[in-house]
Amino acid sequence: MGTRAGGLYVGRRAAAAGAALLLALLAALLALAALYGRCRQEAAPPPPPSPRAPGPAAAPPPAPAAGSVRRLPRHLLPLHYDLELWPRVRPGQAGPFAFTGQVNITVRCLRDTDAAVLHSAGLRSRGAAAVRGPLSEPGAAVEVAGLRHDEAGEVAVLELRGRLRAGRRYVLQLGFQGRLDEDLDGLFLTRYTDRGQSSMLIASQMEPTYARRVYPCFDEPAMKATFNIRIIHDPSYVALSNMPAIDVCEVKDENGSLWTVTTFNTSVKMSTYLTAFVICDFDYVTRTERGNEIRIWARKEAVKNGYVDYALNITGPIFSFLEDILNVSYPLPKTDLVALPDFGAGGMENWGLMIFQEASLMNLPSDEFTSRKAMIALVVSHELGHQWFGNLVTMNWWNDLWLNEGLASYFEYLGATFVEPKLSLDKIFYAHVVQPVLREDSEIARSLSESEDKIKGSFSLMSLFDNITYSKGASITWMLSGFLTEKLFIRALTSYLKEFSFSNANQDDLWTHIQMVVDAQDEVQLPAPVKQIMDSWTCQNGFPVLTLNLTSGTIRQEQFFNKNNRKSTDSYNNTWIIPISWMRNGSSQPLTWLDKSSKMFPEMQVSESDYDWILLNVNLSGYYRVNYDQLNLKRLARLLENDPKAIPAVSRFQLIDDVFTLREFGYVPIETALELTKYLAREDELFIWNVVLLNLIPENLESMLKNNAVYPFLKKYLLKRMLPIYHYYAGFIRQNADALEDDYFAQVYLEKLLATACWLGLQDCLDLSSELYAKWRDNPEYKIPFLIRRTVCCYGIAVGSDKEWNFAWEMYNHTDSIEEDEDILLHAMSCAKEPWLLYRYLQYGLSDTLFSSNCTSVIISHVATKDIGHHIAWEFVTENWPLLSQGYGHELLHDVLKAMGRFVKTDVQIQENRQHKRILLPN
């Protein structure tokens, strides 16, 4: 979640930077056109590309909340909780809602103290607090002088008239009550519709520090304990928690009303953030895997229609896969997975009761293999990975959160590709994990593992749940597994898991167990202790870029940073211990290491032959970028033109992404980057084409590019190279789009390829869109292939008239339209080329009866990003500013101004946008 302060308009500096980029691109394309235009008639037509294996998108990470971080004193250690929760909710009740509860916490006193301090936030006391014990003395108690709540520190302090003695056990007894809100944090209520009826459910989300909002507790990950949980609820609901229910009975409240009491078995030892509760009127499907009863709960309609069958079918096999590979059994007798209509995270790994967004578990039973299935496999695999990394062994403190999330993200891909062999593990991992986080990591000033002392006070734990923790953690793990070999790595993980089961660890504990495995064999030799190697990756910011000089065979490392920003050059002198996988002339070479800032490798000196080349970081096995000298880049470019398959697909992907990023950050000129794109007419991998298009046509520069002198040259240069792969996939779309169901990269990236071809004006692409859209108009039961539906609808309207636009409007307002189709049509109607249609669409957007208020900003933003639309949107916003600012407020209009800001050009427009910003977001 980004800040709201910046990015609302383009000033002179930003406009100049964009112009510089376009001028550089234009100059490079002109040079290439002159250089390669001579070969146009001589070159033989390239062979048609062939389809490749698919790969999924990463699951999005969870969204915990911010909050202050206060460590508890180490006087008391929790051993066991007896917890009763009573949400006072009846079906159809209007609210407001509340819950009450009682918690009895058995603790061991580690140091004498006259106060018991534990976490509590937003709770009020209910009844008198008490302290029983020491338990070795029957009937003994310590008198409580008072109970004080420190809301700022989120703690409750039981002030005692006596002292708790070290070595003794006591029971802290506290009654409490709290509000039951609809905010998706702590214990919350959410409303939904099932089979046409409005319903409510209650669920929980405790990570990172929300358990203290549900019951007073020692809410730190290392303060593990066992739990006996009892939930009192309306008889029409079923209650779920971490463990199986062992008793269901009835009780009457003070008014004589009947409630159900569900009591659960004693839990394993676990952290408070993993306690979980769901009270609902759901159905479930079930199967048993190796004695583990697996149930997937969802709305009754969804269960009846088979929407969770796929998730059920893969959960057991992933469990077994992880048990087998890690050689550590899953310790619980049951596992519930619950699909909530509304949940703040993609999934949450609570032991025995995992909670998901519906979209993370549901798909249509008729789907053979889709991007949604791949996403479900990834999300489920991630949360199942947590049953070992996070639940069984938990990080000591949040500074090592990557031990939970990074390792779970790594096994997420192994588990998903195990149950879906159609997915190509290396391609999806690099395309969806390594490459995106490399782009992000250079801009983020934090290391993967922070010091414990840094995570305290006003530090926001929310900031740790980011792509650095998830994807960099997974990427570093991938690299570690690579240079150790998977066999040794898994052996070390098994040792680590067994040593710290039902306990906690830090990253040094992991390094110790890896070192033990390395020391016990002689096949893998490391240049330094494991801790020294890995701390260089986890304890310092960013990552290195390696610069290779082929003449001398010298490799130099430095921290990758933006050389265009001169202020950033002062502070970087970091050194990593870097594993270098490499090949020479197509032959893999032994792994070597760079353990200093610069080192000569005589074996990497090349001859004068144009066919003598070096490739570093083969298949992106290391977490770094490579900057080749001009000699090697020219040889690689020539090799790609002659025989692109001589370089592995992932390495081709890496070469292109590296060189464009190096250009963006000031390491190489754009001519160098474009040199490596000359071969693209022979590139048949969609995931490579996607990274090319993302670099050459950034989404936020599409309209700017089209109105710039560079556009005709970019069009000519790209279309010449895109035609083979475009025609290959267009043939499938025209004849049998269902044949692409097993090609996940087609489902993920074909839309971008087709949209680019249409944007570049390829007539066949425009005709194809028009044909498919007309087919839909003639027969509304016809389904445009979903993987290209957004582009077809957009360009079907763009090349059409008001008839095509009116049909989209009619289908948008169709009562049976689903949300995904509504989003597609909302965008497509902004693609019209007639100004009056766009203006009418904007006017419709102001109507409360036609659209909800949040659609208004979406409509304006969509129109503003179109070639002719941004002028119309600008005038519309300017004319209607009083109405917009009064009716829709800050949040909705922020996105509008951000979209508008990319297209302001004149001084008057810049001043108007600044004025709107000042009015909208006053300091």
Side-chain angles (χ1 to χ4, degrees):
M1 191 167 58
T3 61
R4 300 300 250 177
L8 293 178
Y9 61 91
V10 175
R12 295 180 182 276
R13 185 175 300 175
L21 167 63
L22 295 175
L23 287 172
L25 188 59
L26 173 60
L29 287 169
L30 285 170
L32 283 171
L35 182 58
Y36 308 118
R38 298 191 297 269
C39 305
R40 182 169 52 86
Q41 294 180 341
E42 302 167 11
S50 57
R52 281 288 179 255
S68 63
V69 184
R70 173 171 173 176
R71 302 297 294 269
L72 295 176
R74 292 303 186 255
H75 298 144
L76 302 176
L77 179 68
L79 303 175
H80 178 77
Y81 292 77
D82 285 299
L83 173 62
E84 176 185 283
L85 284 178
W86 190 343
R88 308 287 178 141
V89 176
R90 298 289 196 183
Q93 186 178 339
F97 302 101
F99 63 92
T100 61
Q102 175 72 34
V103 65
N104 300 335
I105 311 172
T106 303
V107 299
R108 178 188 292 118
C109 184
L110 302 179
R111 299 181 202 164
D112 287 9
T113 180
D114 59 3
V117 183
L118 66 164
H119 285 113
S120 178
L123 300 174
R124 288 184 295 156
S125 299
R126 191 167 184 266
V131 176
R132 289 194 294 112
L135 296 183
S136 58
E137 303 174 14
V142 179
E143 186 177 353
V144 177
L147 176 59
R148 175 169 53 85
H149 287 275
D150 176 2
E151 286 300 325
E154 299 188 338
V155 296
V157 181
L158 280 78
E159 296 168 332
L160 309 175
R161 298 197 190 279
R163 293 181 71 79
L164 305 183
R165 300 298 180 183
R168 307 290 183 88
R169 295 187 181 197
Y170 300 84
V171 177
L172 313 181
Q173 300 178 324
L174 299 101
F176 57 90
Q177 57 187 335
R179 289 176 50 186
L180 192 59
D181 293 322
E182 299 182 41
D183 57 0
L184 307 182
D185 294 321
L187 192 67
F188 61 88
L189 181 142
T190 186
R191 304 172 192 272
Y192 65 98
T193 300
D194 191 8
R195 300 184 299 187
Q197 300 294 316
S198 296
S199 301
M200 297 186 296
L201 64 81
I202 298 161
S204 64
Q205 168 62 21
M206 306 299 203
E207 190 179 29
T209 57
Y210 283 124
R212 66 191 66 175
R213 296 182 179 228
V214 181
Y215 58 97
C217 57
F218 295 83
D219 197 14
E220 296 190 7
M223 291 188 163
K224 292 189 172 184
T226 56
F227 291 79
N228 279 347
I229 292 170
R230 187 167 81 149
I231 299 177
I232 304 175
H233 55 93
D234 185 87
S236 65
Y237 293 137
V238 63
L240 305 172
S241 189
N242 304 85
M243 300 299 289
I246 57 173
D247 184 62
V248 178
C249 61
E250 293 179 342
V251 67
K252 291 183 179 179
D253 62 17
E254 56 272 16
N255 300 318
S257 298
L258 202 63
W259 296 81
T260 295
V261 182
T262 301
T263 303
F264 300 90
N265 209 346
T266 304
S267 78
V268 295
K269 192 177 177 183
M270 63 185 187
S271 305
T272 49
Y273 79 85
L274 294 172
T275 54
F277 322 101
V278 173
I279 303 164
C280 64
D281 182 25
F282 278 1
D283 276 348
Y284 67 90
V285 289
T286 184
R287 64 180 284 177
T288 299
E289 182 87 10
R290 296 182 179 178
N292 175 17
E293 183 188 13
I294 299 167
R295 299 182 297 185
I296 300 192
W297 299 77
R299 289 178 296 108
K300 293 178 179 180
E301 184 177 27
V303 171
K304 180 183 177 182
N305 291 335
Y307 293 166
V308 293
D309 289 354
Y310 175 74
L312 179 68
N313 291 336
I314 65 171
T315 299
I318 295 174
F319 256 126
S320 296
F321 167 77
L322 292 171
E323 280 189 326
D324 291 341
I325 194 173
L326 295 170
N327 195 26
V328 177
S329 297
Y330 178 68
L332 271 61
K334 70 92 177 175
T335 304
D336 288 314
L337 293 78
V338 183
L340 297 190
D342 199 8
F343 189 55
M348 179 60 205
E349 66 266 21
N350 314 303
W351 228 348
L353 180 56
M354 289 175 270
I355 300 176
F356 299 82
Q357 286 179 351
E358 276 192 350
S360 299
L361 282 187
M362 292 187 184
N363 75 295
L364 297 175
S366 59
D367 290 343
E368 290 299 319
F369 178 77
T370 64
S371 56
R372 180 173 293 281
K373 274 190 175 181
M375 184 271 292
I376 292 169
L378 284 164
V379 176
V380 169
S381 186
H382 180 94
E383 305 308 332
L384 293 181
H386 272 308
Q387 307 309 297
W388 286 265
F389 302 100
N391 298 8
L392 184 64
V393 179
T394 312
M395 74 272 153
N396 272 329
W397 185 239
W398 299 103
N399 63 303
D400 276 334
L401 179 62
W402 82 269
L403 292 176
N404 283 22
E405 300 298 350
L407 288 167
S409 296
Y410 172 81
F411 281 99
E412 161 187 342
Y413 283 83
L414 271 61
T417 53
F418 172 77
V419 292
E420 287 293 356
K422 302 180 184 97
L423 302 176
S424 171
L425 175 60
D426 57 346
K427 292 176 185 176
I428 63 169
F429 192 82
Y430 301 128
H432 299 297
V433 180
V434 184
Q435 187 255 0
V437 77
L438 279 173
R439 285 189 162 268
E440 191 171 333
D441 197 9
S442 58
E443 305 288 349
I444 294 179
R446 85 166 181 86
S447 58
L448 186 58
S449 177
E450 301 281 7
S451 67
E452 275 199 38
D453 290 342
K454 189 171 181 179
I455 316 298
K456 63 181 182 181
S458 61
F459 187 93
S460 171
L461 290 180
M462 179 183 174
S463 65
L464 295 176
F465 288 78
D466 62 2
N467 278 340
I468 298 299
T469 295
Y470 286 72
S471 296
K472 183 174 182 177
S475 301
I476 296 301
T477 303
W478 183 280
M479 179 177 69
L480 174 60
S481 175
F483 71 72
L484 283 177
T485 72
E486 185 179 25
K487 180 179 72 173
L488 293 184
F489 179 58
I490 294 297
R491 189 181 301 167
L493 287 183
T494 300
S495 173
Y496 165 82
L497 289 170
K498 290 182 175 179
E499 172 76 17
F500 298 101
S501 288
F502 306 105
S503 185
N504 299 78
N506 58 36
Q507 73 169 17
D508 281 353
D509 295 319
L510 178 59
W511 305 155
T512 296
H513 280 262
I514 294 173
Q515 189 68 57
M516 288 163 50
V517 168
V518 170
D519 291 344
Q521 54 81 55
D522 54 14
E523 292 179 22
V524 174
Q525 300 297 318
L526 302 180
V530 172
K531 175 176 169 56
Q532 186 179 344
I533 294 170
M534 295 310 299
D535 279 359
S536 75
W537 295 95
T538 62
C539 295
Q540 57 185 352
N541 301 351
F543 60 89
V545 55
L546 272 54
T547 300
L548 170 64
N549 184 312
L550 284 187
T551 305
S552 64
T554 300
I555 300 180
R556 175 173 52 85
Q557 66 163 293
E558 62 180 312
Q559 181 163 1
F560 184 77
F561 66 96
N562 193 342
K563 291 198 170 189
N564 295 319
N565 179 2
R566 298 187 181 277
K567 293 180 182 178
S568 68
T569 62
D570 304 331
S571 57
Y572 298 127
N573 55 3
N574 297 354
T575 301
W576 288 259
I577 301 177
I578 304 171
I580 302 176
S581 59
W582 65 293
M583 65 166 51
R584 182 168 187 162
N585 306 334
S587 298
S588 295
Q589 304 297 315
L591 182 76
T592 190
W593 291 82
L594 178 63
D595 55 2
K596 56 186 72 173
S597 60
S598 181
K599 188 175 179 180
M600 183 179 292
F601 297 87
E603 65 272 26
M604 293 189 190
Q605 294 175 349
V606 297
S607 67
E608 295 182 1
S609 168
D610 287 344
Y611 302 98
D612 195 5
W613 52 271
I614 299 286
L615 188 70
L616 301 186
N617 200 15
V618 178
N619 281 332
L620 234 173
S621 54
Y623 188 74
Y624 53 89
R625 295 195 183 277
V626 179
N627 181 19
Y628 296 103
D629 61 13
Q630 289 295 316
L631 174 64
N632 199 52
L633 275 174
K634 287 184 178 179
R635 292 181 180 183
L636 291 173
R638 185 180 295 109
L639 176 68
L640 286 171
E641 287 189 274
N642 294 331
D643 182 14
K645 297 299 172 72
I647 296 177
V650 170
S651 289
R652 300 200 302 276
F653 171 94
Q654 172 203 357
L655 272 172
I656 288 173
D657 191 58
D658 274 359
V659 76
F660 273 101
T661 307
L662 289 165
R663 183 219 62 78
E664 181 183 346
F665 281 71
Y667 286 80
V668 299
I670 193 164
E671 292 84 355
T672 299
L674 288 170
E675 186 87 11
L676 286 179
T677 67
K678 290 157 43 184
Y679 86 100
L680 284 171
R682 301 186 64 181
E683 182 54 75
D684 58 11
E685 294 277 9
L686 271 176
F687 85 111
I688 296 176
W689 264 104
N690 187 67
V691 79
V692 169
L693 297 178
L694 287 176
N695 278 292
L696 278 180
I697 310 174
E699 291 182 6
N700 61 346
L701 283 179
E702 285 180 352
S703 292
M704 194 183 296
L705 276 169
K706 198 156 191 178
N707 291 302
N708 192 276
V710 73
Y711 178 76
F713 299 97
L714 183 64
K715 173 180 177 178
K716 180 179 180 182
Y717 184 79
L718 262 182
L719 280 182
K720 177 182 176 182
R721 288 155 178 80
M722 284 179 64
L723 282 177
I725 194 168
Y726 165 81
H727 283 304
Y728 177 82
Y729 282 103
F732 276 105
I733 292 166
R734 283 192 166 99
Q735 296 166 22
N736 183 16
D738 291 344
L740 297 175
E741 275 193 333
D742 283 352
D743 187 343
Y744 181 73
F745 275 138
Q747 295 183 40
V748 175
Y749 295 141
L750 185 55
E751 183 94 65
K752 173 72 173 175
L753 184 82
L754 193 74
T756 303
C758 286
W759 178 77
L760 291 170
L762 180 63
Q763 192 59 49
D764 187 76
C765 182
L766 298 173
D767 291 344
L768 176 61
S769 299
S770 185
E771 290 167 19
L772 296 179
Y773 191 84
K775 217 171 171 181
W776 185 35
R777 268 191 68 205
D778 294 341
N779 176 19
E781 297 299 314
Y782 168 75
K783 293 292 185 185
I784 299 169
F786 186 76
L787 72 171
I788 56 167
R789 195 174 299 166
R790 185 180 179 89
T791 296
V792 167
C793 288
C794 175
Y795 285 95
I797 290 173
V799 299
S801 65
D802 59 328
K803 293 179 182 178
E804 282 71 22
W805 196 98
N806 290 336
F807 176 73
W809 176 251
E810 177 188 342
M811 297 308 293
Y812 178 83
N813 289 287
H814 200 280
T815 54
D816 294 335
S817 61
I818 62 174
E819 186 176 348
E820 284 176 312
D821 283 339
E822 288 178 357
D823 291 341
I824 287 170
L825 290 171
L826 205 64
H827 169 262
M829 288 185 284
S830 71
C831 298
K833 297 298 184 185
E834 292 288 345
W836 70 271
L837 282 174
L838 292 178
Y839 192 80
R840 184 179 73 178
Y841 188 31
L842 291 169
Q843 289 286 355
Y844 283 178
L846 289 178
S847 170
D848 293 336
T849 58
L850 296 177
F851 290 105
S852 61
S853 59
N854 61 321
C855 284
T856 303
S857 63
V858 173
I859 291 169
I860 298 172
S861 297
H862 282 329
V863 172
T865 57
K866 299 302 181 294
D867 301 336
I868 64 169
H870 60 268
H871 298 295
I872 296 166
W874 179 264
E875 292 176 3
F876 179 83
V877 169
T878 302
E879 290 171 6
N880 293 280
W881 185 254
L883 177 62
L884 289 167
S885 59
Q886 289 174 15
Y888 302 105
H890 293 187
E891 291 299 317
L892 289 175
L893 287 177
H894 174 273
D895 292 336
V896 172
L897 284 183
K898 187 173 182 180
M900 298 299 304
R902 293 205 298 266
F903 306 104
V904 298
K905 295 178 180 178
T906 68
D907 288 341
V908 171
Q909 289 174 330
I910 290 172
Q911 290 304 318
E912 284 179 343
N913 205 0
R914 285 175 175 167
Q915 182 180 1
H916 293 333
K917 179 193 173 187
R918 283 194 297 272
I919 295 170
L920 180 63
L921 297 172
N923 292 329

